[in-house]
Amino acid sequence: LATAVLDSFTRTPVDTERSLPNMREGDLLVGAFTNGQIGHHRPFVGAGDLCFDVGAHVGDRTRALRRLGARVIAVEPQPACLEWLTFSYRKDGAVTIVAAGVGEAEGRATLLVSQRTPTVSSLSPTWVDSIRRAPRFAGVTWDERVEVPLTTLDALIGRFGRPVLCKLDVEGSELAALR
């Protein structure tokens, strides 16, 4: 599997022994991939393998993983995205949707939602404040706050098993999710 774990936002290595003690290096591949890159994941994911799509949004990566025959746990906190995921995968028994964010501990958190740009909705006010100043995000507003349940990667592993691949795209909360 993967030889390194990277923070998908900063692309810096993550100390897996300290951040995620119940997983071994190579168990978790973090970062985004597109449907066009799915061929790169064939060596990692086979038919029947378990994968986590954490920060599933509207399920593009879930769809790509299903094309490889994987069983997918799609984790998403945004209500509008959850409606789409539920509709899209309602007849697919190999996809389980978990309505939650992923963080350091189970509980509840406030999701900062951008209605016009939902891909940058985040559980991290610090991350939102930092990208708000970037010219690329000048027109983005986070105009809704939604209380959402939080789970952890360890809880997901306990419930569903150890994945062969975990796509983690949680807009600034990657390190919290890995702790």
Side-chain angles (χ1 to χ4, degrees):
L1 292 179
T3 58
V5 176
L6 301 178
D7 176 304
S8 66
F9 184 66
T10 65
R11 302 289 189 240
T12 57
V14 173
D15 180 348
T16 55
E17 287 183 25
R18 196 180 72 212
S19 300
L20 203 59
N22 293 336
M23 294 185 83
R24 298 179 311 263
E25 184 169 330
D27 287 343
L28 182 68
L29 178 64
V30 180
F33 58 91
T34 64
N35 291 344
Q37 296 170 319
I38 198 65
H40 298 287
H41 301 285
R42 282 189 208 290
F44 307 114
V45 179
D49 283 346
L50 177 66
C51 297
F52 290 172
D53 183 359
V54 179
H57 194 59
V58 295
D60 292 343
R61 278 60 169 207
T62 295
R63 188 173 310 107
L65 292 166
R66 285 295 296 129
R67 285 190 196 139
L68 292 173
R71 295 174 296 125
V72 180
I73 308 304
V75 185
E76 176 58 48
Q78 291 188 69
C81 294
L82 285 166
E83 287 181 37
W84 179 256
L85 287 167
T86 301
F87 175 78
S88 297
Y89 295 101
R90 69 191 178 284
K91 296 179 181 178
D92 190 337
V95 174
T96 300
I97 298 166
V98 176
V102 174
E104 288 184 53
E106 292 188 307
R108 298 194 65 77
T110 301
L111 179 68
L112 306 169
V113 178
S114 174
Q115 292 293 322
R116 290 190 57 184
T117 316
T119 57
V120 296
S121 296
S122 177
L123 293 167
S124 173
T126 304
W127 185 81
V128 168
D129 287 341
S130 70
I131 68 163
R132 182 178 273 144
R133 293 185 286 271
R136 176 176 161 196
F137 297 99
V140 176
T141 59
W142 287 264
D143 46 3
E144 185 178 355
R145 275 136 184 77
V146 179
E147 288 297 311
V148 299
L150 276 186
T151 190
T152 66
L153 287 175
D154 283 340
L156 291 168
I157 291 166
R159 182 174 169 194
F160 299 106
R162 185 183 298 270
V164 299
L165 183 137
C166 179
K167 186 278 290 180
L168 183 63
D169 184 4
V170 291
E171 305 308 325
S173 296
E174 289 82 359
L175 290 178
L178 290 169
R179 289 194 171 105

